[in-house]
């Protein structure tokens, strides 16, 4: 060995140790943690919270069972410093257990881990200081059955144990040994693969234990000798390049899986779970590439590319100097010796094990489903279903990734659905206001929407009858037309259902792994028109599966529909458009795709109308997309925008004549909460198929429809729709509750400073709001929307013109810059606003001016309100400076009298000042306006509001409340 090579080998050995300890697969070093160093308590254990249980066995294991109503919260208090290792698992024997543990350290979120009964435990290491509090929330995560959660609390000694140095030591020896045989690069490559696996494993499942690391290590060492063998064999054959290419290909295959997990984690700060793997399996390469392009930061993709190149380079550079040193039998012996222990404890390789097992599960489900479909098709399984008429045609249009909040029909500020809006206005469309999807991924949604399985019966789709089965049993002819890929890289459940239809037409030529999707949804129209002339004397159901608004949004519409091209100003779309450079284009493309979808869906309806057949069109989207947060529809990043779907029915006149009651009930239920897993029952109702498979309480066209709203959920039962994060529902629901007690003109949204937000409050039913306005902003003329910290420059007239002003009941007009210099101009400008919109009786003119000329506005008929100096009041209250508070009250009272204002307005923090110091000095007819009350986006809103003193005070005529909108400015 030359000095140079010795030096290089030493450097490699040092790197092996350094990288290994940087990754810390076993976690940091540990100190002894005895029983007295922590105490454990639990919250949420009571009889009402069924199944909730907590037991501390005093041996370092805590038993926790989440409750049916709320999670159980375990609190650990540490009395001494050190490093704790927490392991989460399900007690042996449980067959269904499935808990979501969320860990907080001194209030800071560490992460959430889904723990499933037959999966490897999740381990987390924490550095603890004396007095630290660790909270562990155990949530039922679906159903509470055998949720026998276990938390083990452990410690390890701080001194290096043999376990911790053994693995890198082994690799260092290997490096020395193979370097002497001129195979150093092979070791480096195998070691890199080993490291990538343990990093991915740690990110996904938490800390590894020694068993995990030895398994990965043994496998990688066995792999090293496989590489050596490949080089040697091909060296004899003088095929160096082939050796390099083969090794590179092998390395690449091994490296794709862990790198996917790592990139996912780095990009989304969540680990890949079963749902995501299922979504990956059912998508094809096209979708994957579009998804990476849309949602994954290029930084991570470049990182992955560079790592791949580095490995490739290593393997390639090896090519020129391969000697022959190992006997084949020795290599075989080494490979087997290292591979066998791994194969015996294959579950220790958590990442590949999880991936393969989930893949196997996916295939098992699919084949079970296919078997059931085939047995039904063969008439083996008898299903009873019947339909009276044989002259009807029903069309079921399945949309894709459409968030209803981007549809003009549902109040979006852009009229993205002109045709559907027209149909609705003419009374032809029944539009559901509160429909949500049952999941955020196509397959998960359709596996319930199109089968008997739903979020209530907990059946698995692969043991359930599909809609097509039941229709066939009722002697209805079925046609499936699709623009989605029928065959992904993997088969999927939707194509299994599609294949059972009597007729299947796929127009998407991008089968399997092609990259471009070049077929527009409208190309489905001719086959739909054909299907409207059935060849059999049977009623007919046509399923139409659109590509809709699936990412990549920009490739979902033809050029003629590229209406939105200019980036939206913040005055329209709010401030998030400033922070996210990619958002402007993404939003335009998405809205264009919605516009195009409007055309397609309307044409489908027209085709059925023109055919004159008795029939219906049902349109719904599988799930939404969170476009404004640029999250797509990734379930681990769930938001309710991913579940807010459109649902609508078009019925022919002859249908309404034939089924007047169905028409009546479909209309009657249109404001009800609904989840699309129940479409199986609803569609059978609309199509009028009698079957014992249909549950009437889930049929919107039946009088018996009844969904217990508090039990409605999404993400397959994991997230209740009544969750506080469902601002879409709560803001609407709470507004209706306010209207019921006639308070919706008094309790109104705060800071409605963009057209987007104005349309949001409008769609939720509000007709009163507060807006900030600046006069003659930066040399412009007239009123412009804006706040000191966020001006939009939008003319107030443009803002008003975006809605129907005649419906407005109250505008709180917070004028930011009324001065002695501009007040006459302002007065004239207000007058012309009144001439145009008749606002005088509906407007609160608020100003912080102390000028006595403010009285002129009241004289001219405006309701004026003096904006009291919040900061000063809050400061004096904090210091409890009674004499100055009295002095300030005296001063304000005198000024209010001179200004002759109709009201004073104040921040809720200044309320005690108003009551204690000011009120007694004010004339009785001066009223109040105040801000801010509790947020209207949560379930607790009404309860909190009813405990808010400013709300209870009748003299307060307006209470501003925060309103959540993605278009906030
Ligand atoms: Zn989808």
């Amino acid at each position: 060995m030359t000095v140079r090579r010795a030096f290089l080998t030493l450097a490699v050995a040092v790197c092996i140790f350094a990288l290994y300890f940087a990754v810390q697969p076993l976690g940091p070093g540990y100190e002894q943690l005895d029983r007295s160093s922590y105490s454990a308590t639990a919250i949420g254990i009571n009889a009402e919270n069924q199944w909730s249980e907590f037991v501390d066995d005093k041996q370092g294991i805590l038993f926790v069972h989440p409750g049916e109503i709320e999670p159980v919260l375990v609190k650990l208090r540490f009395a001494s410093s050190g490093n704790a290792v927490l392991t989460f698992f399900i007690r042996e024997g449980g067959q269904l257990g499935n808990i979501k543990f969320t860990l907080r350290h001194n209030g800071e979120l560490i992460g959430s881990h889904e723990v499933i009964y037959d999966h490897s435990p999740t381990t987390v290491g924490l550095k603890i200081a004396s007095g630290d509090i660790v909270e562990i929330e155990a949530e039922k995560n679906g159903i509470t059955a055998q949720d026998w959660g276990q938390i083990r609390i452990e410690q390890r000694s701080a001194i290096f144990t043999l376990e911790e140095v053994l693995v890198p030591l082994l690799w260092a020896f290997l490096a020395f040994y193979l370097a002497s045989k001129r195979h150093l690069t092979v070791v480096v490559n195998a070691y890199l693969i080993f490291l990538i696996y343990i990093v991915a494993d740690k990110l996904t499942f938490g800390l590894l234990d020694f068993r995990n690391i030895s398994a990965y290590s043994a496998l990688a060492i066995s792999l090293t000798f496989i590489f050596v063998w490949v080089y040697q064999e091909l060296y004899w054959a003088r095929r160096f390049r082939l050796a390099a290419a083969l090794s590179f290909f092998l390395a690449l295959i091994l490296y794709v899986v862990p790198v996917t997990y790592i990139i996912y984690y780095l990009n989304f700060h969540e680990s890949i779970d079963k749902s995501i793997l299922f979504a990956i399996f059912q998508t094809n390469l096209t979708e994957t590439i579009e998804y990476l392009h849309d949602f994954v930061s290029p930084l991570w993709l470049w990182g992955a590319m560079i790592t791949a190149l580095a490995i490739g380079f290593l393997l390639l550079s090896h090519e020129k100097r391969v000697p022959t040193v190992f006997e084949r039998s020795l290599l075989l012996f080494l490979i087997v010796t290292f591979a066998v222990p791994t194969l015996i404890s294959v579950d220790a390789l958590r990442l590949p094990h999880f991936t393969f097992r989930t893949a196997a599960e996916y295939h098992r489900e699919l084949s079970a489903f296919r078997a059931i479909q085939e047995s039904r098709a063969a008439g083996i399984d008898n299903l009873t279903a019947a339909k009276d008429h044989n002259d009807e045609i029903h069309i079921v249009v399945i949309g894709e990734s459409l968030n209803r909040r981007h549809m003009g029909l549902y109040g979006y500020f852009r009229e993205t659905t002109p045709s559907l809006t027209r149909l609705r206005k003419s009374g032809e469309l029944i539009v559901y206001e509160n429909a949500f999807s049952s999941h955020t991924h196509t397959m998960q949604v359709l596996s319930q929407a199109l089968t008997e399985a739903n979020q209530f019966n907990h059946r698995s789709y692969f043991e359930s009858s599909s809609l097509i089965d039941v229709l066939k049993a009722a002697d209805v002819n079925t046609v499936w037309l699709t623009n989605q890929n029928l065959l992904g890289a993997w088969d999927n459940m939707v194509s299994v259902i599609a294949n059972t239809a009597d007729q299947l037409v796929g127009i998407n030529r991008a089968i399997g792994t092609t990259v471009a999707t070049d077929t527009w949804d409208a190309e489905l129209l001719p086959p739909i028109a054909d299907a409207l002339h059935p060849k059999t004397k049977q009623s007919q159901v046509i399923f139409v599966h659109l590509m809709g608004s699936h990412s990549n949004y920009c490739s979902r519409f033809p050029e003629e529909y590229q209406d939105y091209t200019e980036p939206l100003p913040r005055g329209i779309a709010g401030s998030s458009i400033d922070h996210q450079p990619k958002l402007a284009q993404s939003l335009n493309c998405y809205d264009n795709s919605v516009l195009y979808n409007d055309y397609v869906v309307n044409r489908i309806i027209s085709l059925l109308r023109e055919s004159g057949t008795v029939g219906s069109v049902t349109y719904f989207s599988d799930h939404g997309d969170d476009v404004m947060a640029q999250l797509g529809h990734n379930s681990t990043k769930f938001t309710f925008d991913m579940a807010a779907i459109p649902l609508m029915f078009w019925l022919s006149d002859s249908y309404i004549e034939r089924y007047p009651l169905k028409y009546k009930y479909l209309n009657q239920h249109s404001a009800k909460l609904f989840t699309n897993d129940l479409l199986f029952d609803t569609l059978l109702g609309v199509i009028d198929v009698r079957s014992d498979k249909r549950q009437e309480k889930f049929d919107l066209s039946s009088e018996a429809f009844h969904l217990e709203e508090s039990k409605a959920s999404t993400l397959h039962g994991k997230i209740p729709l009544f969750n506080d994060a469902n601002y879409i529902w709560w803001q609407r629901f709470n507004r209706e509750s306010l209207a019921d007690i006639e308070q919706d003109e008094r309790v109104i949204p705060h800071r409605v400073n963009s057209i987007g937000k104005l349309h949001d409050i409008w769609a939720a039913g509000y007709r009163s709001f507060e807006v900030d306005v600046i006069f003659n902003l930066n040399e412009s003329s007239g009123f412009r929307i804006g706040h000191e910290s966020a001006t939009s420059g939008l003319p107030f007239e443009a803002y008003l013109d975006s809605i129907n002003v005649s419906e407005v009941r109250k505008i709180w007009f917070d004028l930011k810059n009324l001065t002695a210099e501009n007040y006459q101009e302002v007065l004239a400008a207000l007058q012309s606003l009144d001439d145009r919109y008749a606002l005088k009786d509906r407007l609160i003119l608020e100003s912080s001016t102390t000028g006595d000329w403010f009285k002129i506005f009241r004289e001219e008929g405006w309701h004026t309100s003096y904006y009291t100096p919040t900061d000063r009041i809050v400061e004096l209250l904090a210091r409890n400076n009674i004499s100055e508070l009295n002095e300030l009250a005296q001063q304000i009272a005198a000024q209010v009298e001179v200004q002759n204002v109709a009201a004073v307005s104040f921040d809720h923090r200044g309320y005690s000042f108003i009551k204690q110091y000011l009120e007694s000095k004010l004339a009785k007819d001066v009223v109040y306006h105040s801000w801010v009350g509790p947020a209207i986006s949560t379930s607790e809103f009404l309860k909190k509001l009813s405990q808010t003193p400013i709300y209870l005070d009748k003299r307060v005529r307006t209470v501003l409340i925060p309103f959540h909108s993605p278009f906030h400015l």
Side-chain angles (χ1 to χ4, degrees):
M1 204 192 271
T2 62
V3 176
R4 190 177 152 271
R5 173 156 314 152
F7 190 72
L8 182 69
T9 315
L10 197 65
V12 168
V14 169
C15 284
I16 284 175
F17 274 89
L19 284 172
Y20 186 80
F21 288 109
V23 171
Q24 283 198 343
L26 294 163
Y30 297 102
E31 276 172 26
Q32 211 55 29
L33 186 71
D34 65 55
R35 262 305 291 168
S36 62
S37 64
Y38 70 90
S39 63
T41 51
I43 302 170
I45 314 291
N46 54 61
E48 219 169 277
N49 195 16
Q50 209 188 352
W51 309 117
S52 62
E53 199 182 340
F54 174 72
V55 183
D56 181 356
D57 79 342
K58 312 279 180 192
Q59 309 283 322
I61 292 201
L62 309 173
F63 174 83
V64 56
H65 197 305
E68 185 65 47
I69 299 172
E70 53 170 350
V72 167
L73 186 72
V74 177
K75 260 192 181 180
L76 298 173
R77 256 168 234 281
F78 288 87
S80 60
S81 310
N83 293 292
V85 189
L86 302 176
T87 307
F88 302 92
F89 55 104
I90 300 281
R91 193 173 71 196
E92 228 171 282
Q95 293 294 307
L96 298 161
N98 175 348
I99 302 179
K100 187 165 193 163
F101 286 105
T102 303
L103 187 65
R104 283 190 174 74
H105 183 197
N106 291 333
E108 191 194 333
L109 181 71
I110 302 296
S112 293
H113 298 277
E114 192 173 29
V115 174
I116 298 173
Y117 68 96
D118 60 344
H119 285 41
S120 320
T122 295
T123 306
V124 180
L126 292 174
K127 248 195 194 340
I128 299 289
S130 173
D132 276 11
I133 292 180
V134 172
E135 289 168 304
I136 303 153
E137 187 189 83
E139 208 263 335
K140 65 174 180 172
N141 199 33
I143 53 167
T144 39
Q146 301 178 12
D147 281 356
W148 302 334
Q150 305 263 64
I151 306 165
R152 189 165 51 224
I153 307 170
E154 285 177 308
Q155 65 286 314
R156 252 187 236 121
S157 109
I159 44 162
F160 283 130
T161 60
L162 185 61
E163 278 189 357
E164 281 169 86
V165 290
L166 200 58
V167 169
L169 207 60
L170 191 64
W171 278 97
F173 279 137
L174 191 68
F176 276 113
Y177 175 56
L178 285 179
S180 71
K181 313 275 184 199
R182 303 166 67 100
H183 273 304
L184 187 60
T185 53
V186 172
V187 185
V188 172
N189 172 46
Y191 189 65
L192 274 181
I193 291 175
F194 163 69
L195 278 182
I196 288 171
Y197 269 92
I198 58 175
V199 169
D201 190 296
K202 189 182 166 189
L203 290 178
T204 311
F205 302 102
L207 295 181
L208 292 86
D209 61 20
F210 186 66
R211 191 168 152 266
N212 304 127
I213 294 173
S214 356
Y216 280 117
S217 194
L219 192 67
I221 290 174
S222 149
L223 187 70
T224 312
F225 291 109
I226 292 176
F227 280 124
V228 169
W229 197 335
V230 167
Y231 276 107
Q232 253 182 216
E233 289 297 318
L234 293 162
Y235 175 82
W236 285 326
R238 305 241 150 238
R239 304 289 299 274
F240 306 125
R241 292 218 167 255
L242 184 65
L246 221 69
S247 309
F248 179 64
F249 188 63
L250 182 61
L252 207 62
I253 293 176
L254 288 166
Y255 145 104
V256 161
V257 173
V259 163
T260 308
Y261 280 80
I262 294 173
I263 290 185
Y264 190 90
Y265 186 89
L266 292 177
N267 196 69
F268 297 110
H269 305 287
E270 292 270 354
S271 43
I272 286 187
D273 62 11
K274 196 177 122 180
S275 259
I276 299 297
L277 273 190
F278 267 44
I280 292 173
F281 295 151
Q282 65 121 13
T283 35
N284 47 53
L285 196 61
T286 318
E287 282 188 324
T288 311
I289 289 170
E290 288 177 351
Y291 187 81
L292 289 176
H293 173 264
D294 278 12
F295 298 108
V296 176
S297 156
L299 189 74
W300 306 129
L301 298 181
W302 279 113
M305 219 89 92
I306 287 165
T307 318
L309 283 177
I311 291 179
F313 176 77
L314 272 178
L315 293 167
L316 211 64
S317 62
H318 193 62
E319 154 215 353
K320 298 164 210 110
R321 45 198 172 85
V322 177
T324 311
V325 280
F326 288 103
E327 267 182 53
R328 278 178 184 149
S329 57
L330 175 63
L331 275 176
L332 186 67
F333 171 74
L334 287 168
I335 290 167
V336 170
T337 308
F338 282 101
V340 163
T342 314
L343 294 176
I344 290 171
S345 57
V346 72
D347 63 320
L349 302 165
R350 296 186 294 188
L351 190 98
H353 189 239
F354 171 69
T355 312
F356 281 116
R357 200 178 39 188
T358 312
E361 193 179 328
Y362 181 81
H363 271 285
R364 202 164 48 239
E365 282 189 10
L366 262 187
S367 25
F369 190 55
R370 192 176 290 114
I372 274 210
Q373 298 302 310
E374 279 163 7
S375 71
R376 294 242 165 75
I380 296 164
D381 227 40
N382 44 2
L383 235 169
T384 49
K387 173 159 178 62
D388 287 340
H389 297 271
N390 65 358
D391 59 346
E392 297 175 10
I393 297 183
H394 300 274
I395 305 181
V396 179
V397 185
I398 306 166
E400 177 58 69
S401 304
L402 184 50
N403 175 348
R404 67 164 177 269
R405 291 167 43 73
H406 285 262
M407 300 172 78
L409 186 67
Y410 284 94
Y412 185 50
F413 61 85
R414 273 172 164 167
E415 185 38 291
T416 47
T417 53
S419 316
L420 295 176
T421 303
R422 208 175 317 115
L423 278 184
R424 182 190 208 175
K425 279 191 180 144
S426 67
E428 278 192 75
L429 211 55
I430 305 171
V431 179
Y432 273 69
E433 298 288 345
N434 292 305
F436 290 90
S437 63
S438 64
H439 206 281
T440 66
H441 299 292
T442 309
M443 189 185 102
Q444 274 88 340
V445 168
L446 296 185
S447 69
Q448 295 197 333
L450 301 177
T451 72
E452 217 188 327
N454 61 43
Q455 295 185 101
F456 291 90
N457 62 21
H458 301 299
R459 290 181 66 124
S460 39
Y461 76 88
F462 53 87
E463 289 163 348
S464 302
S465 308
S466 80
L467 200 52
I468 291 189
D469 296 334
V470 184
L471 291 171
K472 281 183 154 179
D475 194 33
V476 175
N477 189 54
T478 51
V479 180
W480 188 284
L481 305 171
T482 179
N483 189 24
Q484 296 221 349
N485 290 3
L486 277 172
L487 297 168
W490 297 55
D491 209 346
N492 69 52
M493 163 267 165
V494 181
S495 56
V496 173
I497 291 193
N499 273 299
T500 61
D502 294 312
Q503 196 195 337
L504 169 63
V505 180
I507 60 158
N508 191 327
R509 290 178 285 273
I511 284 182
T513 49
T514 322
V515 176
T517 317
D518 53 357
T519 38
W520 309 123
D521 281 342
E523 291 181 42
L524 286 167
L525 295 169
I528 294 173
D530 284 347
L532 286 170
H533 304 286
K535 286 151 198 83
T536 55
K537 260 208 115 14
Q538 279 172 299
S539 280
Q540 168 119 281
V541 176
I542 307 168
F543 292 88
V544 181
H545 198 183
L546 303 175
M547 204 56 176
S549 303
H550 199 288
S551 68
N552 174 347
Y553 311 145
C554 299
S555 36
R556 293 295 164 250
F557 52 89
E559 237 180 290
E560 311 91 88
Y561 284 85
Q562 193 160 9
D563 269 29
Y564 311 115
T565 50
E566 293 302 311
L568 281 167
R570 59 211 305 251
I572 294 176
S575 50
S576 54
I577 215 118
D578 292 347
H579 307 145
Q580 305 177 72
K582 266 176 79 183
L583 177 60
Q585 194 208 4
S586 176
L587 179 64
N588 282 339
C589 282
Y590 190 79
D591 291 351
N592 284 322
S593 77
V594 181
L595 188 68
Y596 179 57
N597 188 67
D598 173 70
Y599 159 75
V600 173
V601 175
N602 180 54
R603 284 294 302 141
I604 294 172
I605 292 173
S606 303
L607 285 175
L608 185 63
R609 189 198 292 110
E610 287 154 16
S611 79
T613 325
V614 181
S616 70
V617 177
T618 302
Y619 172 72
F620 71 100
S621 179
D622 56 348
H623 50 79
D625 241 35
D626 195 337
V627 183
M628 290 305 290
Q630 298 200 82
L631 291 172
H633 53 264
N634 181 337
S635 62
T636 60
K637 289 267 149 198
F638 178 79
T639 67
F640 274 92
D641 274 87
M642 298 176 191
I645 52 157
L647 169 65
M648 60 199 77
F649 299 92
W650 179 90
L651 309 173
S652 73
D653 292 340
S654 47
Y655 179 97
I656 296 170
E657 217 167 283
R658 188 174 281 177
Y659 304 106
L661 286 178
K662 289 185 190 293
Y663 174 67
K664 177 183 161 189
Y665 295 123
L666 279 174
N667 271 302
Q668 211 168 75
H669 298 139
S670 67
K672 293 263 171 74
L673 204 59
F674 184 77
T675 49
N676 64 0
D677 49 327
L678 310 179
L679 275 170
F680 173 84
D681 308 275
T682 292
L683 284 167
L684 288 177
V686 170
I687 300 164
D688 194 43
V689 170
R690 291 186 307 279
S691 167
D692 52 355
K693 296 288 178 192
R694 179 178 68 111
Q695 282 190 276
E696 247 193 294
K697 62 173 179 181
F698 295 146
D699 173 8
L700 288 170
S701 69
S702 158
E703 185 181 13
F705 175 78
H706 178 72
L707 174 63
E708 223 178 301
E709 298 193 325
S710 60
K711 293 212 171 127
S713 59
T714 180
L715 277 194
H716 285 182
K718 283 183 193 162
I719 297 189
L721 292 188
F722 277 5
N723 187 301
D724 268 352
N726 192 355
Y727 74 100
I728 300 165
W729 162 262
W730 286 115
Q731 290 186 158
R732 179 182 270 276
F733 174 83
N734 286 332
R735 208 277 316 162
E736 283 162 11
S737 309
L738 284 174
D740 289 344
I741 50 171
E742 294 181 345
Q743 292 291 317
D744 57 330
E745 207 174 318
R746 178 170 174 245
V747 180
I748 69 175
H750 187 213
R751 235 187 231 203
V752 183
N753 286 353
S754 71
I755 285 186
K757 189 168 178 180
L758 178 63
H759 279 250
D760 264 1
I761 66 145
W762 203 262
Y766 297 88
R767 293 297 178 266
S768 306
F769 50 89
E770 188 254 6
V771 58
D772 299 310
V773 185
I774 299 173
F775 188 69
N776 286 359
L777 170 76
N778 305 333
E779 280 145 54
S780 63
S781 65
F783 299 110
R784 303 278 161 154
I785 306 291
H787 198 267
E788 297 88 334
S789 54
T791 50
S792 73
L794 184 77
F796 186 62
E797 287 84 347
Y799 171 87
L800 283 186
D801 289 341
S802 76
I803 49 169
N804 183 354
V805 186
S806 68
E807 289 179 28
V808 170
R809 282 156 54 192
K810 187 198 272 183
I811 300 176
W812 173 324
F813 192 85
D814 180 356
L815 185 53
K816 293 295 178 191
N817 63 340
L818 185 63
T819 62
E821 286 72 42
N822 69 11
Y823 82 89
Q824 277 162 326
E825 244 186 295
V826 167
L827 190 62
L830 275 175
Q831 188 54 52
S832 71
L833 266 189
D834 187 48
D835 294 343
R836 187 160 162 192
Y837 301 104
L839 288 178
K840 209 170 256 177
D841 298 335
R842 302 183 277 170
L843 190 136
I844 300 169
L845 175 63
E846 186 199 36
S847 170
S848 58
T849 181
T850 53
D852 53 0
W853 43 261
F854 193 34
K855 63 175 186 263
I856 297 167
F857 290 84
R858 180 94 186 271
E859 280 161 23
E860 291 294 323
W862 297 95
H863 176 97
T864 52
S865 186
Y866 170 62
Y867 185 143
T868 55
T870 305
D871 292 346
R872 175 109 180 98
I873 293 170
V874 171
E875 184 217 26
L876 291 179
L877 283 173
R879 287 199 279 121
N880 199 21
N881 191 332
I882 294 166
S883 66
E884 278 195 58
L885 281 162
N886 265 316
E887 202 179 303
L888 181 65
Q890 198 60 51
Q891 183 196 322
I892 291 175
Q895 176 203 318
V896 160
E897 204 183 328
V898 174
Q899 291 184 325
N900 187 28
V901 288
V904 288
S905 36
F906 49 87
D907 186 303
H908 69 285
R909 292 167 298 172
Y911 183 61
S912 59
F913 166 77
I914 304 291
K915 294 309 273 186
Q916 274 180 44
Y917 299 95
L918 187 63
E919 191 163 276
S920 58
K921 303 179 177 70
L922 286 178
K924 291 271 179 291
D925 62 345
V926 174
V927 297
Y928 302 148
H929 303 293
S930 182
W931 69 96
V932 285
I936 195 155
S937 56
T938 66
S939 55
E940 296 272 274
F941 170 73
L942 282 174
K943 197 175 136 207
K944 282 187 183 157
L945 185 72
S946 67
Q947 294 161 355
T948 306
I950 51 172
Y951 170 76
L952 295 171
D953 188 338
K954 293 283 173 280
R955 197 163 172 178
V956 179
R957 296 299 159 85
T958 315
V959 181
L960 299 183
I961 40 156
F963 182 97
H964 178 80
S965 165
F967 312 111
H968 181 76
L969 179 67

